[in-house]
Structures are given as C-alpha cells and as structure tokens.
Amino acid sequence: GESVGLHLPTLSVQEGDNSIINCAYSNSASDYFIWYKQESGKGPQFIIDIRSNMDKRQGQRVTVLLNKTVKHLSLQIAATQPGDSAVYFCAEKGGSYIPTFGRGTSLIVHP
Amino acid sequence: SAVISQKPSRDICQRGTSLTIQCQVDSQVTMMFWYRQQPGQSLTLIATANQGSEATYESGFVIDKFPISRPNLTFSTLTVSNMSPEDSSIYLCSVAAGEGEKLFFGSGTQLSVL
C-alpha cells in the first residue's frame, strides 16, 4: 500500500505486480514532464517523458499518463521487479529551461 | 545522452574546511547545473554554471558559500566553503542535452561534515 512517512512517500508492492506512482504538479503552464529513477548511491536516471499535447506515452514496461485537467501525472510500471526498487521523481518544465522536481516516491518491491 | 563523471563520490570533512567537487561531461554542453539533495528529500537547484560568465544562483544560495567554476564546455566545479554539519548532503552535477532538453545527472557526491 501507499503511505506518507516523515520524508518520502513509500509504495510497497510484490514482485510481478503492477506499480502506479503518482505526482501532482503545480504549474498549469508546464508543457513537458519527465520521470526519473534514483537508485541508492546513484544520480537520477531518465525513464520517460511526455509533452503536454499527449495524455499517454509508453516505454518498455513503463507508461506515463498525463491529466492536465487535474494537473496529475502518473508512472505505471508493469510486472514490477526487485530492480525497480528506487526513488522515483517527477519533474515539470514550463517556460523556464530548468525543471522543477517533485517530492519523490520510494518504491519497495518485495520478492 | 551525456555521460557525466563526478568526483569525489563521497567524502567526510571537518567543520570549517572546504571541498571542491568536479564534474566532467563527455560532450560539449551549454548548460550545467548543480543540485543539492538532502537526506530523504527532492532535488534543489543551487546554481546554473555558465561558460564564460558568472554562475546564476538560486534563492538561498550565494557565491561566497558555493563558488562555481566553468572553464570550458565540458567541465565545472562546485566548492562547498566553510562547511558545517548542515551542509551534509548529496551534491549532483547535471547537464541539459538531447531532445526536450532533459537533464542527465552525475552519480553524485555524498558529503558528510563532522
């Protein structure tokens, strides 16, 4: 289940399940959105991006959904694996060349 | 994509000293960024490192505390000066490259100040 701790929200899932990580963004002018994965001891890695003229984009085992009406972004990971355990950040860009990062969600995959 | 080498990967420093973090990119990039990531937190932009001019600092960060160099289009350094335990954090170098100007990150420098 999903819980909000003192720091990062945490999502715990069983291996093989699908995971959905959510992100609410604040700037209605944002037109480009990115998901990053950060494993322990590493820098964030690009996963997938989507522009505001789309509402869905699929990658390998990952899908990003964008709902501009409610300013909501989600990352779906199919058949979650232990290697997917990491912190996931959404980022938004609009106007500025610098993205704004969300708070992050810690995904824990139990074998 | 861009490959970024950042060093040191970690360091333990004494209060009052300074540490310089280096960032090397495998291609020429216009914009390089320095971020701070405190434990369990998201990424906070410290400054944008501009080649040939002074860095542009975000609110709450000043040049005297975080001097930055950008001598060419593939290299930058960030110095954390007169360190205190509150500076203990992960410092990340980043560049904007590719379609959509997505950011690529180095592996980070884990700094602990005693």
Side-chain angles (χ1 to χ4, degrees):
Chain A
E2 184 173 336
S3 64
V4 177
L6 291 176
H7 296 292
L8 294 172
T10 300
L11 176 63
S12 294
V13 300
Q14 290 296 127
E15 181 178 1
D17 287 352
N18 296 331
S19 303
I20 300 176
I21 300 171
N22 297 302
C23 178
Y25 64 93
S26 55
N27 185 358
S28 57
S30 292
D31 58 4
Y32 180 57
F33 304 88
I34 316 161
W35 279 100
Y36 287 92
K37 172 186 179 184
Q38 186 177 25
E39 297 174 272
S40 180
K42 297 183 179 180
Q45 291 179 288
F46 169 84
I47 302 174
I48 191 168
D49 58 359
I50 188 169
R51 296 199 176 275
S52 59
N53 61 352
M54 303 172 69
D55 53 21
K56 180 179 180 179
R57 192 172 187 204
Q58 287 186 292
Q60 189 175 21
R61 279 202 308 120
V62 295
T63 300
V64 55
L65 299 178
L66 175 62
N67 185 330
K68 295 180 289 293
T69 303
V70 295
K71 292 188 285 188
H72 183 268
L73 193 66
S74 69
L75 177 70
Q76 300 180 0
I77 304 174
T80 314
Q81 303 167 358
D84 295 326
S85 293
V87 176
Y88 291 81
F89 293 97
C90 65
E92 58 178 302
K93 283 180 67 176
S96 168
Y97 53 84
I98 303 170
T100 301
F101 285 84
R103 185 179 177 193
T105 296
S106 177
L107 175 65
I108 299 173
V109 182
H110 300 281
Chain B
S1 66
V3 178
I4 302 169
S5 300
Q6 187 175 336
K7 57 181 181 181
S9 59
R10 60 179 61 242
D11 208 341
I12 301 173
C13 300
Q14 295 296 319
R15 181 196 299 261
T17 63
S18 297
L19 175 72
T20 295
I21 303 167
Q22 298 180 6
C23 179
Q24 179 76 52
V25 190
D26 68 341
S27 59
Q28 293 185 339
V29 293
T30 304
M31 292 184 173
M32 295 180 75
F33 307 96
W34 287 98
Y35 282 86
R36 182 174 72 184
Q37 186 178 26
Q38 293 177 306
Q41 302 295 312
S42 188
L43 284 72
T44 301
L45 182 65
I46 298 172
T48 302
N50 306 307
Q51 196 270 331
S53 64
E54 280 197 358
T56 304
Y57 289 84
E58 298 298 303
S59 175
F61 298 97
V62 295
I63 188 171
D64 289 347
K65 176 66 176 177
F66 298 102
I68 286 171
S69 78
R70 182 84 197 273
N72 56 52
L73 291 174
T74 64
F75 187 79
S76 179
T77 67
L78 169 76
T79 299
V80 186
S81 302
N82 188 25
M83 288 183 284
S84 67
E86 291 71 34
D87 294 319
S88 297
S89 189
I90 298 172
Y91 292 85
L92 292 155
C93 170
S94 176
V95 304
E99 181 184 347
E101 289 293 90
K102 58 178 71 74
L103 295 186
F104 296 90
F105 289 86
S107 55
T109 297
Q110 175 76 61
L111 173 61
S112 298
V113 184
L114 306 179

